[in-house]
Amino acid sequence: MALHRDAAGAVEHGRALGALRPRLPGWQLHDQVRSQRAVRGGRARVWVPRLRSAASPIRRPRRLGDLCHRSAQSIRLGPRVDRTSSGPADLGAGPARWQTPPGPWPTLCGMPCLVVHGGAGTPPAAERQERQDAVERALDAGWKEMRLGALEAVLAAVRCMEDEPSLNAAVGACLNRDGEIELDAGVMEGTQLRAGAVGAVKDVRHPVDLAHAILRDGQHVLLCGEGASRFAREHAVETCDPVLFITDRQLRNWWDAADTVGAVAHDERGRTAVAVSTGGTYRKWPGRLGDSPLVGAGFYAEDGMGVACGTGIGEGFMRLCLCHLAVVEMGHGMPSTEVAQKAVQHLARRVGGLGGMIMIDSSGRPAAAWNSEFMAWSQRIG
Amino acid sequence: MALHRDAAGAVEHGRALGALRPRLPGWQLHDQVRSQRAVRGGRARVWVPRLRSAASPIRRPRRLGDLCHRSAQSIRLGPRVDRTSSGPADLGAGPARWQTPPGPWPTLCGMPCLVVHGGAGTPPAAERQERQDAVERALDAGWKEMRLGALEAVLAAVRCMEDEPSLNAAVGACLNRDGEIELDAGVMEGTQLRAGAVGAVKDVRHPVDLAHAILRDGQHVLLCGEGASRFAREHAVETCDPVLFITDRQLRNWWDAADTVGAVAHDERGRTAVAVSTGGTYRKWPGRLGDSPLVGAGFYAEDGMGVACGTGIGEGFMRLCLCHLAVVEMGHGMPSTEVAQKAVQHLARRVGGLGGMIMIDSSGRPAAAWNSEFMAWSQRIG
């Protein structure tokens, strides 16, 4: 909320957010200069007055920066970071309001950072601790690979969560309206912007491994359906009988079906990476792809700017290209904590979307925010 | 190129482009202020020096604004706009360099505008006029619907191009490595950000109609494969025998296989819309989705900001989320002519991509640019 805290912050964010420009000096002047030039140049065949009719009002672009005021919406900021160990998520106690944002932060460029989430949704209260424990195990698994780099860390974390029956990815994924499982996954590294993703695969043991194989292959970015399974078989990625993925959780908790698992990392060399995996939404149309296999919608990474991934009803993320927008805003200098809050608020207000996001900005600051009832997540820096 | 033309322009673009911030007054000061706060607040457990080692250099975010200098690359700006009729594209004569950008422009907010392209690529010289003629017919077809709105106009234009055997969409689409046709399409309107898209469908007569049906249905955004065909059958969208799509062009011109057709529109009420359709790339992996069915990669629209669509090797657009980035930059105030040029330059430099883009900014200014040998396109304002 630096926007309203001090003048320096306001100027900084004004640069990044087009919506704020009309309030800043110089904009109106420049507009006039351009209009005058148009007339002098003899090209002004039409002239539209600056003030338009009510039937055709001037619409300013709605960016994340428009959403900077606080509201009573059920959006919470995650726990304070513990730099030596992972921090447990807020498990739903207390009022659903903003908590005090952490910070100000020192620059953390040289420190590795890993953030993992197990999905935003409305699971039964009895299952929340189980999900949180699964996320902690994934954080441990990812952290062990952090010395190899950000990409290896996020792959290990997501692969671990794909084996957790309490989470909606691979084993334990939710069913589509035909009673089948169709899995989506994606992975991206921010140095060369290489990405790989799969959608609607039925028989790949670890969809995130197939996404990684597509990334390494480099010819395509997104494969779906039977073609993706064929790619897996020809590139020695493990396949399996789809019955392996089905547990009794899908029937018990059929209403909680919009969660994804994901991880974002920023290693000590400043490289960023993100990986996601999901079974999608409950009773989805066969062949439906959500945001998880889509670069920019469900995940995005670019070194020097930031890395983000989302969870929730994927269609909202797709329509807003929300992870790409978050990374662009972080690249423009907005801290990750602020971007995360505003992004989920933007999701709710612009398209009525539910979900959560985790992200790390180019300074290595992690953040998480969600507007659903619960999100299991954890982070580690050090 | 207002960035180097006058101080007002430099300030304007500096706000939108994070990469330019270090050159502007205030940024360094603000950075120092934030660092001092971190120390005073007692939270500065680590301190990373501002100057980092060569092994871990500070990487500034690379945005479109970084690419503002001219180069000898084979990128050309489209023809001057003719406000009373469509203008023929440059058919390849002359050196492959920037042409003088049109402008300065008056504000065109209240005027409808339609831009149509038939794909960027390297078709045989003898086919270029044929493609251009097909695009002109599509422009006429779309323009007739413009009174109904931007969405109807782009749908009519793309539906027309899906029937043109000289273009890579529906009839005349290129073959995958199994010798089959798999079609992608997408449509989006910028008022409510509703979108619909289909990927890898084999038997839908007009994929853009199916994308529109998904948009209207509103439950999902992207369906692929057999699930998408099933949606078509259950929602009365015309299906057909896939053999209908195959012409002898695919075998004659197998090397020219990365083109898409698309249209962007901005109607007199300020509403924006975009539609795209393609057969993808030649010898693509079965199940491969390109940028065309992906919101943000191959197309994006948001009223008050702009509308864009791309054509070319889709993977580059996907990795950069290029159409979303272009719309964000237009929303930040950069004119469409400048965004188009920089976007295709960014595509080439950041990921080695080939292709072209058409777009309209919130002031109603159309633009097109491409870095391939040829792009058939046309536009009308009035």
Side-chain angles (χ1 to χ4, degrees), chain A residues 347-368:
Chain A
L347 176 70
R349 293 189 180 180
R350 188 68 175 96
V351 296
L354 273 178
M357 296 182 79
I358 57 174
M359 57 189 71
I360 305 172
D361 63 23
S362 61
S363 300
R365 286 173 291 208

Side-chain angles (χ1 to χ4, degrees), chain A residues 23-102:
Chain A
R23 301 179 214 161
L24 297 173
W27 168 253
Q28 193 66 16
L29 173 66
H30 175 65
D31 206 5
Q32 286 167 356
V33 168
R34 192 160 55 179
S35 301
Q36 284 165 12
R37 265 206 229 115
V39 174
R40 284 180 196 152
R43 297 178 196 281
R45 299 191 197 173
V46 295
W47 186 263
V48 178
R50 202 178 303 274
L51 295 173
R52 305 176 73 205
S53 69
S56 177
I58 293 175
R59 295 186 69 255
R60 291 289 171 198
R62 292 192 59 178
R63 319 297 319 130
L64 296 184
D66 280 341
L67 304 169
C68 55
H69 54 86
R70 296 185 182 205
S71 80
Q73 236 179 329
S74 61
I75 300 171
R76 284 163 298 171
L77 185 72
R80 293 284 182 100
V81 62
D82 174 353
R83 290 200 187 86
T84 57
S85 67
S86 59
D90 173 3
L91 293 178
R97 298 284 185 274
W98 291 105
Q99 295 181 358
T100 309

Side-chain angles (χ1 to χ4, degrees), chain A residues 99-116:
Chain A
Q99 295 181 358
T100 309
W105 285 77
T107 302
L108 298 173
C109 279
M111 303 182 73
C113 176
L114 176 65
V115 190
V116 174

Side-chain angles (χ1 to χ4, degrees), chain A residues 34-358:
Chain A
R34 192 160 55 179
S35 301
Q36 284 165 12
R37 265 206 229 115
V39 174
R40 284 180 196 152
R43 297 178 196 281
R45 299 191 197 173
V46 295
W47 186 263
V48 178
R50 202 178 303 274
L51 295 173
R52 305 176 73 205
S53 69
S56 177
I58 293 175
R59 295 186 69 255
R60 291 289 171 198
R62 292 192 59 178
R63 319 297 319 130
L64 296 184
D66 280 341
L67 304 169
C68 55
H69 54 86
R70 296 185 182 205
S71 80
Q73 236 179 329
S74 61
I75 300 171
R76 284 163 298 171
L77 185 72
R80 293 284 182 100
V81 62
D82 174 353
R83 290 200 187 86
T84 57
S85 67
S86 59
D90 173 3
L91 293 178
R97 298 284 185 274
W98 291 105
Q99 295 181 358
T100 309
W105 285 77
T107 302
L108 298 173
C109 279
M111 303 182 73
C113 176
L114 176 65
V115 190
V116 174
H117 77 78
T122 317
E127 277 194 9
R128 296 183 182 190
Q129 189 59 50
E130 188 183 349
R131 290 191 181 203
Q132 185 63 35
D133 293 344
V135 166
E136 302 290 351
R137 286 190 289 273
L139 188 77
D140 289 340
W143 194 255
K144 283 180 189 158
E145 304 297 323
M146 189 55 107
R147 62 189 166 75
L148 298 176
L151 182 60
E152 287 73 12
V154 295
L155 287 169
V158 170
R159 199 181 298 117
C160 176
M161 287 188 283
E162 286 181 340
D163 286 340
E164 295 282 355
S166 63
L167 303 177
N168 179 14
V171 177
C174 65
L175 307 172
N176 69 11
R177 66 177 60 199
D178 288 346
E180 291 182 329
I181 282 181
E182 290 185 331
L183 304 169
D184 301 343
V187 60
M188 183 172 194
E189 58 83 28
T191 308
Q192 299 176 63
L193 302 183
R194 291 179 301 157
V198 294
V201 294
K202 297 179 179 178
D203 58 354
V204 175
R205 178 67 189 85
H206 283 289
V208 75
D209 283 348
L210 178 53
H212 187 211
I214 292 168
L215 180 151
R216 284 198 312 269
D217 178 69
Q219 191 179 1
H220 295 314
V221 169
L222 172 56
L223 300 179
C224 68
E226 176 49 34
S229 297
R230 183 169 140 192
F231 187 95
R233 290 190 292 273
E234 295 192 13
H235 290 76
V237 176
E238 183 184 359
T239 56
C240 66
D241 188 326
V243 78
L244 176 73
F245 298 131
I246 300 178
T247 70
D248 60 351
R249 172 179 166 272
Q250 289 94 325
L251 297 176
R252 278 193 288 116
N253 301 336
W254 57 267
W255 60 87
D256 174 37
D259 38 6
T260 304
V261 306
V264 294
H266 176 280
D267 66 22
E268 59 189 1
R269 292 173 61 186
R271 295 174 301 186
T272 55
V274 53
V276 296
S277 184
T278 187
T281 54
Y282 176 74
R283 284 189 61 74
K284 66 183 179 183
W285 194 276
R288 173 262 189 187
L289 302 193
D291 61 322
S292 297
L294 306 194
V295 180
F299 60 97
Y300 203 77
E302 186 162 356
D303 293 2
M305 296 183 68
V307 54
C309 83
T311 169
I313 307 291
E315 278 70 12
F317 285 85
M318 294 161 78
R319 290 161 62 193
L320 294 173
C321 238
L322 197 57
C323 287
H324 182 252
L325 181 60
V327 170
V328 167
E329 294 291 4
M330 287 190 284
H332 283 165
M334 191 186 283
S336 57
T337 46
E338 197 173 342
V339 171
Q341 293 167 5
K342 290 179 178 175
V344 294
Q345 213 167 12
H346 189 48
L347 176 70
R349 293 189 180 180
R350 188 68 175 96
V351 296
L354 273 178
M357 296 182 79
I358 57 174

Side-chain angles (χ1 to χ4, degrees), chain A residues 6 12 15-16 18 21 25 30 37 59 178 192-193 222 224 227 230 285-287 289 300 303 319 324 332, chain B residues 6 12 15-16 18 21 25 30 37 59 178 192-193 222 224 227 230 285-287 289 300 303 319 324 332:
Chain A
D6 59 77
E12 178 197 13
R15 282 183 203 131
R21 188 167 305 125
H30 175 65
R37 265 206 229 115
R59 295 186 69 255
D178 288 346
Q192 299 176 63
L193 302 183
L222 172 56
C224 68
R230 183 169 140 192
W285 194 276
L289 302 193
Y300 203 77
D303 293 2
R319 290 161 62 193
H324 182 252
H332 283 165
Chain B
D6 58 78
E12 178 197 13
R15 281 183 205 133
R21 190 168 302 126
H30 174 66
R37 264 206 231 115
R59 295 186 70 255
D178 288 346
Q192 299 176 62
L193 302 183
L222 172 56
C224 68
R230 184 169 140 192
W285 194 276
L289 302 193
Y300 202 77
D303 292 1
R319 290 161 62 193
H324 182 252
H332 283 165

Side-chain angles (χ1 to χ4, degrees), chain B residues 76-146:
Chain B
R76 284 163 299 171
L77 186 71
R80 292 284 182 101
V81 63
D82 174 353
R83 290 200 188 86
T84 57
S85 68
S86 59
D90 173 3
L91 293 178
R97 298 283 184 274
W98 291 105
Q99 295 181 357
T100 309
W105 284 77
T107 302
L108 299 173
C109 278
M111 303 183 73
C113 176
L114 176 65
V115 190
V116 174
H117 77 78
T122 317
E127 277 194 9
R128 297 183 182 190
Q129 190 58 50
E130 188 183 349
R131 290 191 181 203
Q132 185 63 35
D133 293 344
V135 166
E136 303 290 351
R137 286 190 289 273
L139 188 77
D140 288 340
W143 194 254
K144 283 180 190 159
E145 304 297 323
M146 188 56 107

